[in-house]
């Protein structure tokens, strides 16, 4: 059994403006929430992204969504970049790497570091991120709890930042020649869950491979699935 090592715990501090942006309803549909995660995969030079919807069915064949998994083969993150992602919510890869294009495939950077991760904040109460950078011997696992996100009704204009939860980071031994990021979304909130189940046929759309070369292409791809 692989030994799990504790790395650190972070308080998820987010600016009031970012929280209101996330909670405005923009990310409540499945497609719009996942769009930001796919943008992060694109910026990580991923060649392949797989989005999985895991359902269970009761005796009457009624579906229950257990989890959504977004798995990419991009560059992944080391501990410093993972910590940065959750301590600079709303920042960009440009600010982190001081570059406007990705390192390997020279793509125009389109995502905002952290926003992609938190695009699911209106959808669930918790999620996990597993990530590994090639050449490193550790896989990092971040367990994100959004226990305070629903307290946004207490926000005041005078506030600078607000805590919406915490992040626990652990690590295990990984393969040197692999890189990836896997986001697993569980503990769904009722409005998001209802949207999935009411449009279950459309959910199968995600089984189609995504070919994306620009932000415009992504907007067109999701056009029929964003209200």
């Amino acid at each position: 059994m692989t030994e799990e090592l504790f790395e650190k715990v972070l308080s998820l501090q987010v600016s009031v403006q970012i929280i209101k942006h996330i909670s405005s309803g923009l990310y409540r549909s499945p497609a719009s929430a996942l769009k930001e995660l796919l943008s992060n995969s694109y910026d990580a030079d991923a060649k392949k992204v797989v989005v999985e919807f895991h359902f269970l069915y009761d005796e009457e064949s009624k579906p229950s969504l257990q989890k959504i998994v977004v798995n990419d083969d991009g560059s992944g993150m080391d501990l410093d970049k993972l910590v940065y992602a959750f301590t600079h919510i709303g920042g960009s890869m440009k600010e982190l790497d001081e570059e406007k294009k990705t390192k390997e495939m020279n793509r125009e950077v389109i995502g905002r570091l952290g926003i992609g991760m938190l695009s699911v904040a209106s959808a669930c109460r918790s999620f996990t991120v597993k990530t590994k950078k090639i050449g490193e011997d550790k896989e990092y696992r971040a367990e994100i709890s959004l226990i305070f996100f629903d307290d946004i009704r207490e926000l005041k204009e005078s506030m600078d930042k607000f805590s919406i939860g915490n992040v626990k980071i652990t690590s295990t031994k990984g393969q040197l020649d692999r890189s990836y990021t896997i986001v697993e979304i569980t503990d769904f909130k009722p409005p998001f869950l209802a949207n999935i189940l009411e449009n279950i046929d459309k959910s199968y759309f995600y089984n189609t491979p995504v070919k994306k070369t620009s932000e415009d292409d992504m907007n067109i791809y999701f056009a029929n699935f964003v209200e």
Side-chain angles (χ1 to χ4, degrees):
M1 184 175 180
T2 304
E3 182 182 5
E4 184 176 72
L5 302 175
F6 172 77
E7 296 290 345
K8 59 180 61 184
V9 171
L10 308 171
S11 175
L12 202 53
Q13 300 283 330
V14 184
S15 73
V16 171
Q17 291 77 13
I18 292 296
I19 295 173
K20 289 183 176 179
H21 180 63
I22 294 171
S23 61
S24 65
L26 182 62
Y27 299 117
R28 287 182 183 173
S29 75
S32 55
L34 294 173
K35 173 184 172 181
E36 290 291 344
L37 293 180
L38 294 177
S39 293
N40 277 5
S41 296
Y42 177 80
D43 288 345
D45 284 324
K47 299 181 179 70
K48 181 179 181 181
V49 183
V50 177
V51 181
E52 300 173 351
F53 291 75
H54 292 249
F55 292 93
L56 285 180
Y57 293 84
D58 62 18
E59 294 179 355
E60 298 179 353
S61 297
K62 292 182 179 179
S64 173
L65 181 64
Q66 300 300 298
K67 63 181 177 180
I68 298 174
V69 181
V70 180
N71 187 338
D72 74 49
D73 61 354
S75 57
M77 291 178 278
D78 56 19
L79 181 58
D80 288 342
K81 184 172 282 191
L82 186 60
V83 169
Y84 189 101
F86 288 112
T87 54
H88 293 74
I89 301 297
S92 67
M93 292 295 292
K94 301 174 192 177
E95 294 170 358
L96 180 58
D97 294 333
E98 297 182 351
E99 295 180 358
K100 294 182 179 180
K101 294 189 176 182
T102 63
K103 293 181 178 179
E104 182 181 339
M105 302 184 71
N106 203 37
R107 295 171 172 171
E108 292 285 346
V109 173
I110 63 172
R112 286 175 293 174
L113 196 63
I115 285 290
M117 297 292 188
L118 288 186
S119 66
V120 297
S122 291
C124 68
R125 301 177 185 86
S126 63
F127 64 101
T128 62
V129 178
K130 291 194 294 184
T131 187
K132 186 187 171 300
K133 194 171 183 177
I134 198 164
E136 300 231 347
D137 62 355
K138 285 186 177 181
E139 173 195 274
Y140 294 99
R141 175 186 174 91
E143 299 178 19
I144 300 92
S145 171
L146 301 168
I147 55 176
F148 303 127
F149 184 80
D150 289 336
D151 293 335
I152 55 175
R153 61 184 179 278
E154 299 178 3
L155 295 182
K156 297 179 176 61
E157 293 297 333
S158 59
M159 296 175 63
D160 178 29
K161 288 193 174 182
F162 185 82
S163 175
I164 61 173
N166 55 64
V167 182
K168 176 186 175 184
I169 301 177
T170 57
S171 65
T172 56
K173 190 173 181 59
Q175 298 178 16
L176 286 174
D177 60 348
R178 292 193 63 201
S179 65
Y180 50 83
T181 296
I182 304 170
V183 180
E184 185 173 305
I185 309 167
T186 55
D187 197 9
F188 298 99
K189 294 180 181 178
F192 184 89
L193 192 57
N195 192 308
I196 286 280
L197 298 181
E198 288 172 5
N199 299 280
I200 191 169
D201 291 338
K202 294 181 181 178
S203 296
Y204 297 145
F205 179 79
Y206 293 108
N207 292 322
T208 303
V210 177
K211 293 184 178 180
K212 174 178 170 27
T213 57
S214 71
E215 186 172 13
D216 288 340
D217 287 347
M218 182 64 78
N219 289 334
I220 293 171
Y221 185 76
F222 284 108
N224 295 326
F225 299 87
V226 181
E227 296 182 354

